[in-house]
Amino acid sequence: MTTLGGLPAHILLIHAIVVLAPLTALLEIISAVWRPARRRLVWLILSLAVITMVLTPITTDAGEWLERHTPPSEAIRAHTELGDWMIYFSGGLLIVAVLLAALQLAESRSDARRPAATIAVALVAIVIGVGSTIGVYRIGESGATAVWGDTEYVQQAPEK
């Protein structure tokens, strides 16, 4: 996928990743540490993680197409290199979602709590969730810098 409605697809698809990855990470952390949330949200979380995982290579491929159609620069190269890491962040979010689903299924079948498994999944969810969110921020920031540079576009209103 290269363009959507005449716009580079990467520019449009990236907004889905910027929203879905941190949202999935936040819901995973909440569900990992709070059992009632896990009971209610686990299938939504798994769906969001799958969607994020599917959209990531589509978005990065669209970004690589866009890179080939723009003048080369160090900032774009840095953004591309950081963007290549997104597949690992998406994969981590998907693994956590699968762990949460497995934990929920195990708890619902025996109605017994599994404190060691819950703690382990919570720790993994926190590490991957925080790491993924920071990664998305860094990738996005490098992309914005590649496009806009370091210029501040917000201007102060003139004083009256």
Side-chain angles (χ1 to χ4, degrees), residues 96-119:
V96 170
V98 169
L99 290 173
L100 287 168
L103 182 61
Q104 177 57 32
L105 287 173
E107 288 177 347
S108 67
R109 287 191 178 145
S110 70
D111 206 31
R113 294 180 186 248
R114 292 171 164 60
T118 301
I119 291 170

Side-chain angles (χ1 to χ4, degrees), residues 64-79:
E64 289 169 1
W65 176 87
L66 183 58
E67 178 186 24
R68 289 189 301 273
H69 291 83
T70 57
S73 73
E74 182 61 30
I76 290 175
R77 187 194 60 75
H79 174 63

Side-chain angles (χ1 to χ4, degrees), residues 54-67:
V54 169
L55 283 178
T56 296
I58 295 169
T59 304
T60 54
D61 286 347
E64 289 169 1
W65 176 87
L66 183 58
E67 178 186 24

Side-chain angles (χ1 to χ4, degrees), residues 21-159:
L23 175 64
T24 303
L26 177 64
L27 292 176
E28 285 179 348
I29 292 169
I30 291 169
S31 294
V33 299
W34 191 30
R35 189 176 185 201
R38 183 170 54 249
R39 260 185 266 137
R40 290 186 180 98
L41 299 174
V42 70
W43 304 115
L44 171 64
I45 292 167
L46 187 57
S47 299
L48 292 174
V50 167
I51 292 168
T52 303
M53 188 69 197
V54 169
L55 283 178
T56 296
I58 295 169
T59 304
T60 54
D61 286 347
E64 289 169 1
W65 176 87
L66 183 58
E67 178 186 24
R68 289 189 301 273
H69 291 83
T70 57
S73 73
E74 182 61 30
I76 290 175
R77 187 194 60 75
H79 174 63
T80 302
E81 286 181 9
L82 282 174
D84 289 340
W85 281 89
M86 190 60 213
I87 194 72
Y88 301 110
F89 298 132
S90 296
L93 292 171
L94 183 57
I95 289 169
V96 170
V98 169
L99 290 173
L100 287 168
L103 182 61
Q104 177 57 32
L105 287 173
E107 288 177 347
S108 67
R109 287 191 178 145
S110 70
D111 206 31
R113 294 180 186 248
R114 292 171 164 60
T118 301
I119 291 170
V121 171
L123 289 174
V124 171
I126 292 166
V127 169
I128 290 179
V130 170
S132 296
T133 302
I134 291 170
V136 167
Y137 172 80
R138 291 187 64 220
I139 295 166
E141 182 66 21
S142 71
T145 299
V147 172
W148 301 106
D150 290 330
T151 306
E152 187 174 313
Y153 286 93
V154 177
Q155 296 180 358
Q156 297 291 330
E159 291 188 30

